[in-house]
Amino acid sequence: MKTAEIAQRYLDYFEKKGHTIVPSASLVTDDPALLFTVAGMVPFIPYLSGDVPPPYPRAADVQKCIRTNDIEEVGKTPRHGTFFQMLGNWSFGDYFKDGAIAFAWDFLTGAESEGGLGFDPKDLWVTVYEEDDEARELWLKHSTLPDERIQRLGKDTNYWSTGLPGPAGPCSEIFFDRGPAYGIDGGPATDDDRYVEIWNLVFMQYEIADVRSKYDFTIVGELPNKNIDTGMGLERVAFIKQGVDNMYETDQVRPVLDKAVELSRKTYGADHEDDVRFRVIADHVRSSLMLLSDGVTPSNDGRGYILRRLMRRAIRSMRLLGVDGPSFAELFAASRDAMKEAYPIVETDYARLSQYALAEEATFLRTLAAGSELLDESVALTKTTGGAQLSGAQAFLLHDTYGFPIDLTLEIVEEAGLTVDRGAFDTLMQEQRERAKADARSRKGQLADTSVYRDFRAQGETVFTGYTELETGSRVLGILVGGASVDRATQGQIAEVILAETALYAESGGQVADKGVIVGPGYELEVLDVQKPVPGLVSHTVEVTTGEVAVGEAATTVVDAANRRAAQQAHSATHLVHAALRDTLGRSATQAGSLNRAGYLRFDFSWGQALSSETRTEIEEIANNAVRDNLEVTTRIMSLDEAKAAGAMALFGEKYGETVRMVDIGGPWSRELCAGTHVGSSAEVGLINLIGESSVGASNRRVEALVGQDAFRELAAERAIVSQLTSSLKTPRDQLATRVAELAASLKAAEKRIAQFEARALADRLPQLVSAAVSAGPVQVVAEALGAAASADDVRSLALQVRDRLGADTASVVALGAVVGERPVVIVATSEPARAAGAKAGVFAKTAAAALGGGGGGRDDVAQGGGTDAAALPMALEAIRTAAGGL
């Protein structure tokens, strides 16, 4: 039974049982405590917590998930995968334990011919929370399980909570027994791999508080609406139903594994270590493909870092299998073909997805080449000094700074006959993990408790009238001060105000929040920010500038019309720039992020190289031609499927409901799903002036533009500069660029001649400096100030010449100070006899730097120090004389 068929059977079954079928949410979640959707429940948290009224009493879905906390286990166990799919059925105050248990047993053991999965009851075990007698009795009622195959377990396995105050409850897990060939008898209580958990039923029935740990808390009472949250692992069910040993051999994953086998020319099943690598590749390539399809791109932080790590682990595993060259073209294509039935976007958008994958592979292969050179140097140095072990710090540097995997370091070092100080490396790695955990704890600790908005959201969604109105009368539903609900806010206080209706736009879709005021009887509030703390609810952060505002009072939102107009110009201009980019570069240049505020836009898009000045001009011209043509801007409300069928662009990372707003500019030329505010026709944008283009990642570029009056002011300022230059240089405007280039070339030539004169002047001082040598302790010391110098390299060259002129047999310390670019520099050079007497250039350089207010160091034979206090040069040189005399 194919994976996609299992998923469809599940949805069909629960649809017949009255469940609303909900499409999978994105892998990218807007929960600030999470990077990804890590569990099937994440999209439903607002409904389960009661913060947002559920739109349906019961639902079912197949949710995409990414979880990397067990990444080291991937490939080693039959069930650990970084990308997985959770089959879930949900009840929001509707059915409870009885219904959930009955549904689960019926679907699992129902005949395949009738839409079930056809599991043999003799292969199934169940666990319940040790104190949940009700769940145990219901299993005996609805199933044919004997008493001994319903095991009671403790809180650590069979009780669900988030570890925070809020909903919690016992759970019941269903396991499949793979048979005695896979482990010991005794059921799930043995915690043996023989028993594979396939389904978890969470009975969310209690409210907890005083949370001391995930399993230590106080139950304060039952929830008013008891919820059901279930999750069945699709990959786990698939490998059981397909008769294979693990999830990596299922139909959605195995093709990538087979392609890796083909490319490596090795045999799967012949070597345990190689088998783990094959499975890692299969899992990580699929996970990377799915993350890319949801708009994540490789980077050095956040979600992008996780994606980059997955890709690089796959490349590393291919290398350890003997494949040193590119392989992603074949591997990602294999994953595309395996996943396209379930997720058609991986095929329809494959050109864009593969562009990121191939660019990341090429970058990392270059990194590996550079890391190999550094490692070779470190190995050679270790051997030269008679060492047998590469330091853990050097191995960690290669790993952390250059992205060079530790197992490759171990492999190469072992081939050279050396070892790595793995203990020191592991210590450094652990310290890094602790820092990362501390950062995650800090981020989690900063989360706001959204339950404070629950009662307000229960009164309905905030109605946004700002598409057609700039003033809207309403009433105050609630006031928050310091995160707590209060009945009023007084003059001078900062508060959050919740209204039933508002004309003020809440920040979303790249468009910043409106500016404006809220006024009512005897009070005025300056609006500082407008946000949506929970879906469907708008909160206004305000300062009470006059009077006091109380819950229940009338309120009128007044939008700053000039700011809104300029923001609308910028947002519509963003759509025009996007369309112009796609006209110029092709359909693969899709939006990766944007920011629109009054008079300014920033637009990120997928593209792997810098735009030429000619291309930038073309994009700017196309966008401004659209402004000139006064294209009609229209908006329509329709279903998501209708909008996609009409060719509307759905932007990655954005979350859409079943009903969406489609914005057209010039009909299908620019057609996007967008909830932002826009001008009535393109001519109202006024002017678009592209002011910058830069890189924001290996495969992402950014353009910035000024819009409307701000664009005009920028061009007027540039015109004034050009006018001033033409007047000063007495050159016509069309010849100005040539004239400036000539002047720049003349200046560069003059600077070069001056530098030559200065270097010659320094060299002319060589005899005088040699004759200035004086005895200090066991060495001859030259410590002189040179005045100004063109570069530190000139000073270094002169110091080495003085040392050489004094003779190789002379114990000499040469310290020359100079001012380079207004900053003091001291170069110290020592001869071999001086070093034998204890004179180390690096130590002297640090001594001088301390006097100069800076830092320094270097090798024993030559070193450099510097600082900020040029007037202290004589003192710094005297400190070197004193130190040399004390040797």
Side-chain angles (χ1 to χ4, degrees):
M1 189 180 294
K2 284 190 173 183
T3 305
E5 181 187 345
I6 296 170
Q8 193 58 52
R9 281 173 175 259
Y10 183 88
L11 296 178
D12 290 344
Y13 175 87
F14 280 98
E15 187 172 29
K16 291 176 183 176
K17 300 298 181 181
H19 291 67
T20 298
I21 304 304
V22 180
S24 174
S26 170
L27 288 168
V28 177
T29 174
D30 53 8
D31 187 331
L34 300 171
L35 289 176
F36 298 114
T37 300
V38 296
M41 71 168 297
V42 171
F44 296 98
I45 288 175
Y47 309 143
L48 295 170
S49 66
D51 290 347
V52 176
Y56 23 67
R58 52 177 73 179
D61 70 334
V62 180
Q63 176 59 48
K64 301 177 290 185
C65 302
I66 284 282
R67 192 182 298 170
T68 59
N69 56 320
D70 292 330
I71 195 170
E72 299 299 335
E73 296 302 312
V74 172
K76 299 176 183 177
T77 74
R79 62 186 186 276
H80 278 95
T82 52
F83 172 83
F84 58 97
Q85 300 159 88
M86 291 300 292
L87 305 169
N89 59 285
W90 313 83
S91 167
F92 308 107
D94 190 14
Y95 63 84
F96 197 50
K97 291 182 187 179
D98 195 326
I101 289 172
F103 288 147
W105 185 257
D106 184 41
F107 178 65
L108 281 175
T109 61
E112 289 186 14
S113 59
E114 298 177 4
L117 290 185
F119 276 95
D120 190 329
K122 71 178 178 60
D123 294 326
L124 300 178
W125 289 69
V126 166
T127 63
V128 296
Y129 177 50
E130 57 192 358
E131 298 178 12
D132 193 354
D133 295 333
E134 180 187 10
R136 182 179 176 280
E137 292 303 317
L138 287 169
W139 276 113
L140 290 172
K141 170 186 173 183
H142 289 294
S143 76
T144 59
L145 290 170
D147 184 72
E148 65 271 15
R149 278 200 276 131
I150 305 173
Q151 296 185 324
R152 295 177 183 263
L153 297 178
K155 274 186 179 178
D156 58 335
T157 60
N158 279 66
Y159 206 96
W160 176 87
S161 80
T162 63
L164 297 171
C171 59
S172 179
E173 298 177 335
I174 307 171
F175 291 79
F176 177 81
D177 180 2
R178 305 171 75 196
Y182 290 91
I184 61 175
D185 196 7
T190 63
D191 196 28
D192 191 85
D193 279 346
R194 167 177 170 174
Y195 303 94
V196 179
E197 178 199 338
I198 57 175
W199 205 340
N200 186 14
L201 315 179
V202 175
F203 310 128
M204 207 173 294
Q205 66 186 102
Y206 297 116
E207 183 89 20
I208 63 171
D210 189 22
V211 179
R212 298 168 290 278
S213 75
K214 193 167 184 180
Y215 306 111
D216 184 13
F217 44 75
T218 301
I219 296 176
V220 296
E222 292 202 347
L223 292 169
N225 290 317
K226 298 175 183 179
N227 299 321
I228 287 295
D229 157 13
T230 82
M232 181 162 69
L234 179 55
E235 281 76 13
R236 296 185 183 191
V237 173
F239 85 70
I240 293 169
K241 292 299 293 179
Q242 292 174 20
V244 295
D245 283 342
N246 53 65
M247 61 164 286
Y248 315 102
E249 297 174 14
T250 60
D251 62 301
Q252 287 188 346
V253 189
R254 181 65 188 248
V256 184
L257 189 153
D258 289 339
K259 180 57 67 173
V261 168
E262 175 188 330
L263 293 172
S264 67
R265 298 181 181 178
K266 293 197 172 188
T267 303
Y268 181 60
D271 178 85
H272 173 70
E273 291 300 322
D274 282 350
D275 288 352
V276 170
R277 290 164 187 152
F278 284 127
R279 294 193 285 261
V280 166
I281 293 162
D283 172 85
H284 287 9
V285 166
R286 182 172 78 142
S287 298
S288 298
L289 178 69
M290 298 309 298
L291 283 170
L292 286 166
S293 73
D294 270 356
V296 182
T297 56
S299 67
N300 286 329
D301 54 27
R303 299 180 179 95
Y305 173 75
I306 300 298
L307 172 58
R308 173 162 285 170
R309 185 183 182 202
L310 290 169
M311 287 184 172
R312 292 188 170 189
R313 279 172 58 90
I315 296 168
R316 174 193 69 186
S317 295
M318 287 298 291
R319 182 180 175 117
L320 291 172
L321 288 167
V323 180
D324 293 334
S327 59
F328 273 8
E330 292 90 344
L331 295 174
F332 272 80
S335 189
R336 172 201 62 199
D337 293 342
M339 297 299 294
K340 65 184 181 184
E341 180 181 357
Y343 302 99
I345 190 174
V346 301
E347 180 177 36
T348 58
D349 205 27
Y350 188 68
R352 183 186 69 86
L353 310 185
S354 61
Q355 174 186 335
Y356 284 112
L358 299 181
E360 181 63 20
E361 181 183 41
T363 298
F364 188 48
L365 289 176
R366 289 193 297 269
T367 295
L368 289 178
S372 295
E373 290 182 12
L374 290 169
L375 181 55
D376 290 344
E377 292 175 5
S378 298
V379 167
L381 181 61
T382 302
K383 286 186 170 183
T384 301
T385 57
Q389 188 176 65
L390 189 74
S391 73
Q394 183 66 23
F396 182 76
L397 175 70
L398 285 163
H399 164 83
D400 191 50
T401 303
Y402 297 96
F404 202 78
I406 181 60
D407 46 8
L408 284 185
T409 298
L410 293 170
E411 178 187 7
I412 293 171
V413 168
E414 183 178 347
E415 289 175 356
L418 304 175
T419 61
V420 174
D421 186 348
R422 188 60 189 266
F425 174 85
D426 289 341
T427 298
L428 292 168
M429 282 294 297
Q430 185 59 35
E431 291 173 356
Q432 185 188 63
R433 291 191 187 102
E434 291 301 323
R435 288 193 295 271
K437 288 179 182 178
D439 178 66
R441 285 194 296 269
S442 172
R443 185 170 60 246
K444 185 174 182 178
Q446 294 168 4
L447 283 179
D449 181 5
T450 58
S451 63
V452 72
Y453 301 104
R454 188 178 302 164
D455 292 340
F456 307 135
R457 182 61 180 82
Q459 299 179 53
E461 293 193 23
T462 308
V463 177
F464 176 63
T465 64
Y467 292 131
T468 57
E469 300 177 12
L470 295 180
E471 289 189 22
T472 291
S474 186
R475 61 187 177 88
V476 179
L477 297 181
I479 301 173
L480 304 174
V481 175
S485 183
V486 297
D487 64 352
R488 66 190 60 246
T490 58
Q491 186 168 337
Q493 282 189 305
I494 304 296
E496 286 184 69
V497 173
I498 313 296
L499 305 175
E501 299 88 14
T502 183
L504 291 155
Y505 184 80
E507 179 179 357
S508 61
Q511 182 174 335
V512 301
D514 274 335
K515 294 180 180 180
V517 295
I518 302 174
V519 296
Y523 70 83
E524 181 170 319
L525 316 175
E526 180 186 354
V527 177
L528 306 178
D529 195 14
V530 190
Q531 295 290 333
K532 293 180 179 178
V534 297
L537 186 76
V538 175
S539 170
H540 309 79
T541 300
V542 302
E543 180 180 359
V544 184
T545 55
T546 303
E548 69 174 29
V549 58
V551 173
E553 288 187 329
T556 299
T557 52
V558 182
V559 177
D560 181 328
N563 182 78
R564 165 70 78 81
R565 187 181 308 110
Q568 289 181 166
Q569 288 176 311
H571 202 155
S572 296
T574 300
H575 286 220
L576 297 179
V577 169
H578 190 186
L581 278 163
R582 289 167 65 81
D583 269 5
T584 307
L585 304 177
R587 292 180 57 82
S588 60
T590 53
Q591 181 171 341
S594 67
L595 173 68
N596 315 291
R597 63 169 184 261
Y600 170 85
L601 72 84
R602 185 183 74 204
F603 187 84
D604 298 345
F605 60 99
S606 54
W607 197 250
Q609 60 192 37
L611 303 183
S612 67
S613 59
E614 293 80 9
T615 300
R616 285 176 52 184
T617 299
E618 183 180 358
I619 292 165
E620 187 178 55
E621 185 174 353
I622 292 173
N624 279 298
N625 284 345
V627 174
R628 177 203 63 196
D629 292 343
N630 196 24
L631 303 175
E632 183 181 11
V633 178
T634 61
T635 61
R636 286 179 282 169
I637 305 299
M638 60 182 66
S639 72
L640 180 59
D641 289 340
E642 287 175 328
K644 288 182 176 180
M649 291 198 59
L651 305 181
F652 295 103
E654 289 293 318
K655 296 175 176 58
Y656 302 101
E658 292 183 8
T659 301
V660 295
R661 181 170 180 261
M662 187 172 75
V663 177
D664 285 1
I665 305 180
W669 182 68
S670 171
R671 178 168 287 170
E672 299 188 22
L673 301 184
C674 180
T677 62
H678 288 274
V679 296
S681 67
S682 62
E684 294 177 36
V685 170
L687 181 65
I688 301 172
N689 178 13
L690 288 185
I691 58 173
E693 190 266 344
S694 59
S695 169
V696 286
S699 300
N700 277 343
R701 305 296 298 180
R702 169 176 293 169
V703 292
E704 297 175 87
L706 297 177
V707 181
Q709 196 67 24
D710 290 78
F712 174 77
R713 292 191 190 101
E714 178 71 11
L715 291 173
E718 291 179 359
R719 182 178 60 189
I721 292 171
V722 170
S723 178
Q724 184 179 355
L725 287 174
T726 56
S727 176
S728 299
L729 300 178
K730 296 180 173 55
T731 304
R733 186 177 67 175
D734 59 351
Q735 298 176 22
L736 194 58
T738 302
R739 179 62 176 147
V740 170
E742 291 172 350
L743 289 173
S746 297
L747 179 60
K748 186 174 182 179
E751 289 174 343
K752 184 176 180 180
R753 288 195 298 272
I754 291 170
Q756 290 171 343
F757 288 140
E758 289 178 344
R760 190 178 305 150
L762 286 178
D764 290 344
R765 296 186 61 179
L766 181 59
Q768 175 255 323
L769 292 171
V770 172
S771 65
V774 296
S775 297
V779 298
Q780 294 289 307
V781 176
V782 175
E784 297 290 326
L786 304 177
S791 70
D793 286 342
D794 290 341
V795 181
R796 180 186 299 268
S797 176
L798 185 57
L800 294 174
Q801 291 180 58
V802 173
R803 183 191 66 181
D804 294 343
R805 185 70 65 88
L806 288 171
D809 297 331
T810 301
S812 60
V813 175
V814 179
L816 302 182
V819 178
V820 178
E822 300 183 358
R823 295 180 68 87
V825 172
V826 174
I827 304 294
V828 182
T830 59
S831 65
E832 177 60 37
R835 293 193 290 277
K840 300 186 184 299
V843 175
F844 287 135
K846 289 180 181 178
T847 300
L852 298 173
R859 303 195 309 268
D860 290 347
D861 61 332
V862 62
Q864 178 176 325
T868 58
D869 187 1
L873 264 176
M875 187 188 308
L877 294 169
E878 184 58 36
I880 291 177
R881 295 189 193 98
T882 301
L887 290 172

